[in-house]
Amino acid sequence: MSSNGFEDFSKILSKIKVDKATTDGALQAGADEYVKALRPRLPSDPSASMAKRYGPMSRNLKTFKRNDSVAVTFGDSFWWRFVDKGTPTIAAQNFTRTTWDSNKKRIGQLMTKKIMKEMGL
C-alpha cells in the first residue's frame, strides 16, 4: 500500500513522549500483524507467468523501515497493484484495503499495548 495506516500511527506517536525505539517497535509489530493478516488473503496462481518468474506474492511480502515509518512491500511481485486495484481487463480484488479495514482496530490495540508495556504502564 502506498498510503497506509502505519504512517498515520507514526504521526500520532510522534506527538506523545515515547522514545524512538518504542515507537519503532510498535510500528514494526503493527506491520508484522498486518502482513500476518494479509498473507492468507493474497491471490495465488502458481501457474501465472509473473509468479513463475518472480515467485508468489506471499513469498515476496515483507516489511521494512522507511524514515520514521514502517512500510509493507510486495518486493519483486510488482503486479500486486494490478490485481489489487484492477485494470481495464482485470477486476479489482482490493485485498490490501479490505485486510487493513478489517484489522486496523486490532492492530492499533496491539501497538498501544506494546507501547504501554514498554513505558511500564
Side-chain angles (χ1 to χ4, degrees), residues 2-121:
S2 58
S3 175
N4 63 49
F6 297 110
E7 292 167 1
D8 296 335
F9 281 117
S10 182
K11 288 176 187 172
I12 292 166
L13 292 173
S14 70
K15 293 179 182 181
I16 58 176
K17 302 294 182 200
V18 177
D19 65 75
K20 186 164 175 30
T22 300
T23 300
D24 289 350
L27 290 170
Q28 186 64 55
D32 291 343
E33 191 66 22
Y34 174 67
V35 166
K36 184 176 150 186
L38 181 59
R39 195 174 304 278
R41 293 181 175 209
L42 294 175
S44 176
D45 182 359
S47 64
S49 62
M50 295 294 183
K52 283 181 181 179
R53 183 171 180 180
Y54 299 103
M57 281 186 234
S58 62
R59 191 174 71 210
N60 286 291
L61 189 61
K62 55 190 79 144
T63 64
F64 69 94
K65 185 156 177 14
R66 180 177 62 192
N67 300 324
D68 286 336
S69 190
V70 175
V72 174
T73 179
F74 287 86
D76 291 335
S77 301
F78 63 88
W79 65 91
W80 75 270
R81 185 177 308 254
F82 306 128
V83 178
D84 189 48
K85 306 298 181 203
T87 69
T89 58
I90 299 172
Q93 294 187 28
N94 298 310
F95 50 85
T96 57
R97 176 56 54 192
T98 56
T99 301
W100 175 252
D101 288 346
S102 63
N103 289 280
K104 67 183 172 185
K105 182 177 179 180
R106 185 175 52 79
I107 291 170
Q109 290 170 340
L110 177 140
M111 292 170 66
T112 301
K113 285 180 184 176
K114 183 162 182 64
I115 290 169
M116 291 175 70
K117 181 178 177 184
E118 289 292 320
M119 295 176 73
L121 302 174

